[in-house]
Amino acid sequence: MKIKIKGTGSAVPKLRVTNDDLSKLMDTSDEWIRSRTGIGARHLAVEETTTGLAVAAAKEALKDAGMTAEELDLIIAATVTADKFLPNLSCEVQSALGAENAVAFDLNAACSGFLFALNTVQMYLENGIYKKALVIGAETLSKIMDWNDRSTCVLFGDGAGAAVVTAEDENVDGHSAVTSGKSDAGMMQTGAVSRINKSGILSMVQGSDGARGEVLRCDNRPVNNPFAANDSKLSYVSMDGQEVYKFAVKTVPKVIEEAVKKAGLEVEDIDLFVLHQANLRIIESVAKRLHQPMEKFPTNLEECGNISAASVPILLDNINKHGMICEGKKIVLAGFGAGLTWGATVLVW
């Protein structure tokens, strides 16, 4: 089976908040934010909800794929900011879409969430359990920010991205290709199965390091019952920016290299690297460590900021809708963040 992304969609709130807008609310400036992060604006929910944004992105993805909601077998939503504890976000999306035949559940891996959800979908589809799936990353991070803490609140935004993923039969001879070097297509290595005619998802790599998870955290509701009264205030996102930066610039290049090698490719073969949009400095450092030009690293954090699980699928939809990817393009998707978690996917469009 080949597992392919057949359609993409995205949605962001109407309200666009610039760095200058934030400077009127707190001690910050456009120069301070841009020089440290590369972020110029973000979209913040006012009337929108995580569910509403997820549904809007999902409808776009289904339209792009030329599919109806009734055809879906599976919906996985990645989020840390669902509107409700119960029912979960994916079931709310299922109801809104009328996807009555789909199994639906949520997944939380923070900024790596979309990659983890995509990997989970791949396993279901490769094993023939389902054939058509919807993967969503959706967040309204503005509701868990401390808007008096300029070191964190200026970084994040709200939005949702979605992808329709399908399993299709592929005619592959299965012979091992043994060669002393790369083929003309640059897509084989010694002892590897030929990838020349392959399309869809080629490889995935994931990782977690819970021992370092406290560098980026937000507490849930504490125990509060007749036997353990608790009057704790609401918790907001807190982050050790330097530790997160060091983690990202060291881990992301390694996981990308591992995923590319697993796909039987070289880093130089990759046309586009679609990374989680956390910080422009991180993306630039990853490009430098991989010895690849920044032209291969599209960004939208200038306008969107960091949208956690929604970051990668929104950017993927942006470059898809702007004609930056076409059949045969080799793409890496990579997410990294709280947990700590990280993941990378290599695919041929």
Side-chain angles (χ1 to χ4, degrees):
M1 304 296 287
K2 62 178 178 181
I3 313 303
K4 298 194 69 173
I5 294 177
K6 299 290 287 186
T8 63
S10 63
V12 295
K14 294 178 181 178
L15 179 63
R16 177 178 180 270
V17 179
T18 67
N19 295 340
D20 287 331
D21 292 331
L22 291 182
S23 70
K24 299 173 184 176
L25 304 175
M26 62 191 71
D27 183 18
T28 191
S29 67
D30 181 66
E31 190 280 331
W32 190 91
I33 298 171
R34 283 183 186 273
S35 63
R36 289 163 174 78
T37 69
I39 297 169
R42 73 286 296 146
H43 295 260
L44 302 181
V46 177
E47 298 179 352
E48 298 90 350
T49 63
T50 304
T51 301
L53 292 166
V55 170
K59 287 181 177 179
E60 269 199 22
L62 285 167
K63 182 179 179 181
D64 190 42
M67 284 174 48
T68 65
E70 291 80 5
E71 295 179 71
L72 292 172
D73 303 310
L74 175 65
I75 301 172
I76 302 180
T79 185
V80 299
T81 52
D83 297 321
K84 304 172 183 177
F85 286 120
L86 305 167
N88 62 32
L89 173 60
S90 56
C91 284
E92 297 248 273
V93 171
Q94 180 205 35
S95 175
L97 294 178
E100 59 188 28
N101 299 310
V103 174
F105 64 90
D106 289 1
L107 183 153
N108 180 353
C111 303
S112 306
F114 181 80
L115 274 298
F116 277 46
L118 185 61
N119 193 10
T120 304
V121 161
Q122 181 193 13
M123 296 301 104
Y124 274 110
L125 270 55
E126 280 189 343
N127 284 282
I129 300 172
Y130 303 120
K131 290 187 176 181
K132 298 178 181 180
L134 176 66
V135 187
I136 303 168
E139 307 284 10
T140 47
L141 296 170
S142 58
K143 65 187 179 187
I144 58 171
M145 291 296 122
D146 179 355
W147 288 93
N148 294 310
D149 179 8
R150 71 168 188 172
S151 67
T152 55
C153 70
V154 302
L155 305 176
F156 297 94
D158 303 331
V164 171
V165 185
T166 62
E168 302 174 5
D169 290 328
E170 184 173 40
N171 294 321
V172 180
D173 59 17
H175 294 302
S176 295
V178 180
T179 175
S180 59
K182 291 165 61 179
S183 70
D184 292 338
M187 297 178 67
M188 293 198 298
Q189 61 181 21
T190 303
V193 175
S194 173
R195 304 281 185 175
I196 292 178
N197 298 314
K198 282 277 189 177
S199 62
I201 295 174
L202 303 186
S203 70
M204 284 193 169
V205 176
Q206 295 171 280
S208 304
D209 183 4
R212 291 192 288 168
E214 293 300 302
V215 300
L216 181 50
R217 63 177 289 171
C218 181
D219 295 340
N220 205 334
R221 292 158 62 173
V223 172
N224 186 19
N225 60 53
F227 307 97
N230 196 312
D231 59 357
S232 299
K233 295 180 180 180
L234 289 175
S235 175
Y236 297 101
V237 170
S238 62
M239 179 174 66
D240 184 332
Q242 289 188 343
E243 287 302 312
V244 172
Y245 178 87
K246 287 190 290 185
F247 150 70
V249 298
K250 181 179 180 180
T251 304
V252 177
K254 287 184 178 180
V255 72
I256 289 175
E257 289 174 334
E258 185 178 350
V260 170
K261 182 179 180 180
K262 188 176 179 181
L265 301 173
E266 302 291 338
V267 172
E268 293 74 18
D269 297 326
I270 304 301
D271 297 302
L272 290 173
F273 297 85
V274 181
L275 270 56
H276 168 51
Q277 301 290 286
N279 185 305
L280 185 59
R281 287 181 174 180
I282 292 174
I283 297 171
E284 289 173 340
S285 177
V286 172
K288 184 176 181 180
R289 292 187 181 216
L290 292 175
H291 306 289
Q292 296 299 297
M294 273 298 292
E295 288 75 17
K296 287 188 175 185
F297 292 78
T299 62
N300 66 0
L301 83 171
E302 302 93 328
E303 281 294 311
C304 294
N306 180 341
I307 319 182
S308 190
S311 178
V312 169
I314 289 176
L315 179 57
L316 181 63
D317 182 55
N318 290 166
I319 63 176
N320 183 26
K321 297 295 171 58
H322 283 85
M324 295 176 64
I325 47 181
C326 58
E327 187 173 356
K329 285 280 188 179
K330 294 177 281 294
I331 302 169
V332 166
L333 309 178
F336 52 92
L340 296 169
T341 59
W342 59 91
T345 299
V346 180
L347 59 91
V348 177
W349 199 255

